Amino acid sequence: MVDYVVYYRVSTARQGRSGLGLEAQRRMVEGFLQSSDIVLEEFTDIESGKNDGRTGLNKAIALVKKTKAKLLIPKLDRFSRKVSFISGIIDQGVELVVCEHPNVSTFFLHLLACFAEEERRQISERTKAALSVAKSRGVVLGKNAQVLAKQRRSEKRVRAESLRIVFEQAYLETGSASGTAKWLNQNSIPSPNGKIWHVQPTINYLKALKLI
């Protein structure tokens, strides 16, 4: 029998309300727990993984220290991709258990954290490169807004595919069509008419790319 405090994190309020991401994490926890295990309490944060000051996590850690329980998380990358952050938690004397890596030692958790941080760095570099390409394409395409409006559906799919990596990153970080539109505008990605992205066209592109 093991006492656990369970911690979940989702990136956006919509993910929290809809269960997107959160339900998958809960299924992982349910599949991990043994019948004799006890969950003292569950905490959930709706925060970016970049934010280390999470209210739910702080409460979870406080309860772990008080009860001598273990902190159970579904996936390491849902927890954090920063080595310093994960090491800081472990250094506090918190015993961290990861559902997807149930039998790894503290040493290997540090290694996994290193891999997660490197993955985040590579994602960032790929995104920057993709944004540069998308911006250059968008400038050309945006000047021909009237022509684009008359193009056939197949041609629209070609443009959608050319922006796939950008849309995937935007939707991954925001979890919603409105958030994706905002992300595209903040990163100066022009819409087909060379202006800002609105929600409905963003939804159309997300559907075309089968992201929603």
Side-chain angles (χ1 to χ4, degrees):
M1 181 181 73
V2 182
D3 291 345
Y4 290 108
V5 174
V6 182
Y7 175 74
Y8 304 104
R9 183 187 68 80
V10 290
S11 300
T12 66
R14 181 182 176 184
Q15 286 181 338
R17 291 192 302 268
S18 68
L20 180 64
L22 187 57
E23 283 304 317
Q25 293 180 57
R26 283 182 173 146
R27 286 194 295 271
M28 290 185 72
V29 169
E30 290 169 0
F32 171 85
L33 292 171
Q34 302 297 310
S35 59
S36 59
D37 293 335
I38 297 175
V39 175
L40 300 180
E41 196 164 347
E42 296 182 348
F43 295 90
T44 302
D45 275 322
I46 302 175
E47 291 278 2
S48 166
K50 298 177 183 178
N51 183 8
D52 294 347
R54 308 176 205 165
T55 302
L57 179 58
N58 291 336
K59 291 180 179 179
I61 291 173
L63 183 58
V64 165
K65 290 180 177 179
K66 180 180 178 180
T67 60
K68 306 301 182 184
K70 297 181 181 182
L71 182 61
L72 180 63
I73 61 174
K75 299 183 65 177
L76 196 64
D77 61 358
R78 285 282 81 195
F79 189 60
S80 179
R81 282 193 172 101
K82 291 172 62 177
V83 176
S84 59
F85 179 78
I86 295 171
S87 296
I89 299 297
I90 295 173
D91 289 344
Q92 292 182 52
V94 173
E95 186 168 353
L96 191 62
V97 179
V98 185
C99 291
E100 65 176 346
H101 304 292
N103 300 312
V104 302
S105 64
T106 300
F107 171 73
F108 278 103
L109 277 180
H110 279 95
L111 288 181
L112 290 170
C114 290
F115 291 135
E117 186 170 283
E118 175 61 15
E119 182 184 24
R120 183 184 67 170
R121 185 191 66 79
Q122 291 180 4
I123 289 173
S124 177
E125 288 186 353
R126 288 197 299 268
T127 301
K128 289 178 181 178
L131 286 174
S132 178
V133 172
K135 287 178 182 178
S136 64
R137 288 176 177 173
V139 170
V140 175
L141 293 173
K143 292 179 181 178
N144 300 291
Q146 292 182 349
V147 175
L148 286 172
K150 297 178 181 178
Q151 285 182 332
R152 295 172 299 176
R153 185 175 300 176
S154 61
E155 292 172 321
K156 290 181 180 179
R157 283 199 296 268
V158 170
R159 173 170 168 80
E161 286 297 332
S162 74
L163 294 175
R164 173 176 288 280
I165 190 170
V166 179
F167 269 79
E168 286 179 340
Q169 183 66 24
Y171 192 71
L172 176 65
E173 291 188 11
T174 65
S176 68
S178 59
T180 298
K182 183 178 180 180
W183 190 97
L184 292 169
N185 292 330
Q186 289 176 339
N187 286 279
S188 302
I189 305 299
S191 68
N193 61 9
K195 299 181 180 179
I196 66 171
W197 286 92
H198 295 287
V199 175
Q200 189 55 54
T202 303
I203 291 174
N204 294 341
Y205 270 75
L206 289 169
K207 287 182 176 179
L209 293 169
K210 294 182 171 52
L211 297 177
I212 59 174

